[in-house]
Amino acid sequence: MARFDPQKKQWKNIDIAQSLSHSWISDNPVQIFQDNLRVICRVLAESGCCLGDSIADEANVVGRYPKGESPWQKAYQWLWAQRFPQWSVAREEHMAQRSGISPLSVKATIADLPFGDRGRITDENRFFDRVDLFGQLFVELAKGCNVSLVGMSEIGKSSILSMICQKGPRVPSLSSYGFVLINMEWVHGENDLFESLCYSLGIKTCRGFALKRALQQRRYILCIDEIEKMTRSDLFSGDERSELRGLADGFDAPLSLVIASRTNLDLLFPDSPVMTSPLAGLFGRPYMVGNFTPEIASQFLRKRLSETEVEFTEAEIQRLISETDGHPARLQQAAAQLYRSYTN
């Protein structure tokens, strides 16, 4: 839990080990910490976490793992996306039960259920609305088009990308496609981008013509989140966008791109005034991801409350919608605060 605490996301292992050392009778807390991580990752590999051959070959590794092949790095990414939210809920429930809190209060402390979603939503049962948007997106993707999603922060773009990857394979016209999601927050530079892409595709790391050749006769829909990071000239040269264009340009191209951003791509990547931007002309009009309409926001609140013993008055619902303008994240935060007032 210490390693995957959101507040310690950027901490090094040695820092976490030292923060826990008071509970260990040992002169080498870092070694204990590393040994525990090693055991955890081995169990995870046996339980379905895709760590490649790095765990099996662990005994033969001398020194540091090659970049991108460390089992700890792969487990870290998998746990953040798949397991930490579940662990967090279970831990809150366990601590509440130990403290003797009533069952109703326990439910309220578990990530502010039913309004506890934070960040990317990966559970289809927790995702709400955007039905019309998905219909439009899947039609465009089936035609081999590239799609740009634009919207303000915390509006739900990341969740939409996750749902595309989950719902897409069940769409008959897209059943032959593979779906890949890359969050640029995890990528440190253009080489790391192609390493992440190739790892997700299950092929040897490559780029340029080698990647184009490896993708022959294959079709993927590549969803890219937080693409704003590509504007950092210290990490990206712009060549990576040219290569992505080469892989996504044309009806029979191996990739169809779905890119989420807070700004239109032509403004985000203006490039030189005498050169054509690598992304210019690759996308049609952007699809704007906006706030919930008052009707949808009201349906959302009522749907979440239907699973509890709490009811908001009509006046309270309208006040929440008015105060947040239907912004999904702010609406949840305000609803969670009101919900706690009923359960505390």
Side-chain angles (χ1 to χ4, degrees), residues 179-214:
F179 287 78
V180 176
L181 172 61
I182 293 181
N183 184 353
M184 294 299 295
E185 289 182 333
W186 291 105
V187 174
H188 190 73
E190 60 186 90
N191 288 332
D192 203 25
L193 169 63
F194 286 98
E195 184 175 325
S196 175
L197 174 60
C198 293
Y199 174 74
S200 299
L201 298 176
I203 61 177
K204 182 180 179 180
T205 299
C206 58
R207 56 185 297 186
F209 178 74
L211 179 55
K212 179 81 170 180
R213 182 177 56 192

Side-chain angles (χ1 to χ4, degrees), residues 61-88:
V61 174
V62 178
R64 297 181 63 85
Y65 286 92
K67 183 175 177 59
E69 295 185 11
S70 166
W72 328 131
Q73 180 183 7
K74 294 176 182 178
Y76 188 79
Q77 294 173 346
W78 184 75
L79 286 166
W80 263 110
Q82 304 292 332
R83 291 293 177 261
F84 178 78
Q86 300 172 12
W87 288 353
S88 181

Side-chain angles (χ1 to χ4, degrees), residues 88-100 106 110:
S88 181
V89 168
R91 183 175 185 274
E92 291 287 349
E93 185 174 19
H94 173 70
M95 296 302 294
Q97 290 173 342
R98 287 186 59 184
S99 302
V106 168
I110 302 176

